Amino acid sequence: MNILILGSGGREHAITWKLAQSKKPLKLFAAPGNPGTAAMAVNIDIDPMDFNAVRKAVIDNQIRMVVVGPEAPLAAGITDFLEDDPSLGDLAVIGPRREGARLEGSKDFAKGFMKRHGIPTAAYDTFTPDTIDDAISFMRSLKPPYVLKADGLAAGKGVLIINDFDEAVSELRAMLGGRFGEAGSKVVIEEYLRGIELSAFVITDGRSYRILPEAKDYKRIGEGDTGKNTGGMGAVSPVPFASKSFMAKVEERIIKPTVEGLMKEGIDYRGFIFFGLMNVDGDPFVIEYNARLGDPETEVILPRIDSDFFDLLEGVAYRNLESRSIVISPETAVTVMIVSGGYPDSYGKGFHVSGTDNVTESTLFHAGTKTDNRHLVTSGGRVIAVTSTGSSMESALEKSYSSVGRISFSGMNYRRDIGFDLKDGLK
Ligand code: AMP
Ligand code: GLY
């Protein structure tokens, strides 16, 4: 089967890498892909947001399955576009249609969905420029810090957590005044949840689901979880505090009602659901949904799947996921993201990356690289995710940090403390 993976980051490289291990004869394509996917797939240089170009790539390469990596094409309706085109036949698309992608694309929709289905989440209300006075009174009824969320996709920058009431009011006015454009025309204000975060993931064919390994990512640029938010500086799976009993609560209270809720609302959801969770004194709450896999979480989730990943995707395509099984490795996988100096603010590009050939103990997932005159150079903020597995988190981290030490480029940065909060007593 010919499969097209859409996207160009570490997540898409990891998906391509996992599918390349399938026992089934697969021919893989990545669009646009990166130098990492080029080693195991044919890269097609098109933008996943250019739906007509994607359609043409599907036809030209006799693609029978498209796996959508990032959220933007899902929210813009790539699945609807491809599925509803009769000339593409029974092309399978892994990734929800626009309606389902609203779980991620609209915070107001996601919160309303959770309320309708009794899924635990922070108390909230939604406001528009016309109801700003009500928003301020609602904030008065909450204890600080105040959590303000732009309704729409805002490239990870749409969530503000503010301690001071007056500052929160002025930020609220700026958001409703258009700071995030259309994405901020509605603002969700919610109760602050105190706890420790982790993420759960499922793949679903709209009726049944399979739970993938859970993960914890490290979003802040600085060690000790300080400084600005990034796309993710590293990740660990499994998460030591995600005990069997905690994960059973996640399944009963969150995963089942979410998949059943989608069915009850007539939303045909085929793809991944990413549950951003807060463990509040042993009880799980949903912080957010995403309609895709996480990045860099994918780089630690997929290495722990021992069964054939393609089998699960096929179960989604044929809507018979209930007959497919997943085998998860007990090993720990970690990833350390190497980033460009200056990231997540402005950073330079085009620096030569050396030493990747000397890495033997880890798998390198390319996130922001390109090939320039046969040299590997940086082309993004997040450059390479360095993934290792081991019988313990410590042994996996040792391998990743040793591999990171072999790689260099001008301005290279990374966090030296991935997993710091999961060690020793905090388990
Ligand atoms: P989101 O984009 O919704 O995942 O929010 C970004 C980050 O803000 C989350 O990963 C949490 O760390 C934090 N956050 C969001 N909502 C809450 C909340 N209600 N209580 C505490 N922290 C939150
Ligand atoms: N690492 C967080 C995300 O993919 O949204």
Side-chain angles (χ1 to χ4, degrees), residues 320-338:
N320 61 7
L321 192 60
E322 79 281 353
S323 68
R324 317 281 173 148
S325 53
I326 179 168
V327 180
I328 294 173
S329 160
E331 292 223 308
T332 294
V334 304
T335 199
V336 175
M337 189 65 81
I338 300 179

Side-chain angles (χ1 to χ4, degrees), residues 218-288:
Y218 292 81
K219 290 198 174 81
R220 304 292 196 95
I221 185 71
E223 276 145 30
D225 285 342
T226 54
K228 288 199 172 166
N229 258 323
T230 70
M233 296 295 290
V236 173
S237 176
V239 179
F241 64 81
S243 61
K244 263 208 165 83
S245 67
F246 179 78
M247 290 309 287
K249 289 181 194 170
V250 171
E251 181 167 11
E252 284 308 312
R253 299 178 191 175
I254 292 170
I255 295 174
K256 271 192 193 156
T258 297
V259 174
E260 282 167 14
L262 288 165
M263 249 186 320
K264 280 185 202 150
E265 299 196 11
I267 299 175
D268 177 22
Y269 195 111
R270 278 167 294 143
F272 300 100
I273 311 176
F274 166 157
F275 303 84
L277 304 174
M278 188 75 85
N279 174 342
V280 183
D281 299 327
D283 287 320
F285 287 77
V286 178
I287 295 273
E288 64 165 351

